[in-house]
Amino acid sequence: MKLENKKIVLTGASGGIGSEIAIKLAKAGADVALLDRDKDALESLAKRISVQGGNVLPIATDLLNSEAREHAIDKALRSFGQIDVLINAAGLMSYRPFVEEDPALLERIIQLNTIVPMLLIHRLLPGMQAQGQGKIVNIGSTFGSIAFAWFSAYSASKFALRGFSESLRRETSGTGVSVTYIAPRAVKTRLNTEAVYEMAQATGMHMDTPEWVAGKVIQSIEKDKKDVYLGFPESLFVRINAVFPRLVDLALRKQNQTMAVFAKGEKA
């Protein structure tokens, strides 16, 4: 898909990955509706892109609020006339023992990471099908294929998003609308807590830059890829886990013990 003049809705636009995606989309000549809850960060990003000649529409909204979410989509449609691409990049993560999770946070993680993308797609898909073309891009995670201990809620939300993406891709086959699921490994963004960074250093976890990930997202859209797993050897482990999950249990046992120290806040 050529991005020039495409009308795009991007959620999580002021986040680490989202902001880099927005910048690259604008440079490619796309018109981008930037959706995010952080109004100040959103306006700052929009000014940065506009100065460089990009065309963006910042829309501050709480995606967990159904009325606000609907208003945001209506505004994007009024401004652009149609939506060619929806990129679901907004997300929440939690790193702690499941029994210690705040129930309210559990609900927000599932809502934002899984339900909101589904609802946005449900809203925009009919228009894409009516115009005979469109693309859905769901930003998942390696954690959506390999369920890591201490990230239970996050892993569950991304597993669900991956399954939904696969089902929807099969359902929209032949309609002109395609679905791309992109699974980065760990990324250096403010979504991570200090404990996550300390754990990553202790376990030797690979972490990519948002700019690199955003580049792969753009590449995946342009090449109309279906499933993209970023980073090696994580992309290989995804395949192994799909066939031999109990073997991965054994391989992760020692790492899980190290991760537990930081998840429980027990480090000296």
Side-chain angles (χ1 to χ4, degrees), residues 110 113-114 118 144 154-166 181:
I110 299 300
N113 294 3
T114 308
M118 294 175 72
Y154 181 73
S155 292
S157 71
K158 294 302 185 179
F159 261 80
L161 185 64
R162 178 171 63 89
F164 168 68
S165 300
E166 185 172 285
Y181 174 80

Side-chain angles (χ1 to χ4, degrees), residues 16-17 20-21 24 27 187 208-217:
I17 298 174
E20 293 294 339
I21 292 174
K24 293 181 185 301
K27 284 183 178 179
V187 184
D208 295 314
T209 65
E211 184 178 11
W212 182 83
V213 173
K216 293 297 183 182
V217 171

Side-chain angles (χ1 to χ4, degrees), residues 161-171 179 181 227:
L161 185 64
R162 178 171 63 89
F164 168 68
S165 300
E166 185 172 285
S167 174
L168 187 67
R169 182 184 302 117
R170 292 167 177 167
E171 187 172 323
V179 179
Y181 174 80
D227 294 291

Side-chain angles (χ1 to χ4, degrees), residues 84-113:
D84 302 303
V85 182
L86 168 64
I87 304 176
N88 288 304
L92 275 175
M93 184 175 69
S94 180
Y95 170 51
R96 60 170 56 91
F98 182 74
V99 294
E100 296 178 9
E101 285 285 12
D102 177 358
L105 178 57
L106 286 176
E107 290 190 12
R108 289 198 299 274
I109 289 172
I110 299 300
Q111 284 287 333
L112 188 59
N113 294 3

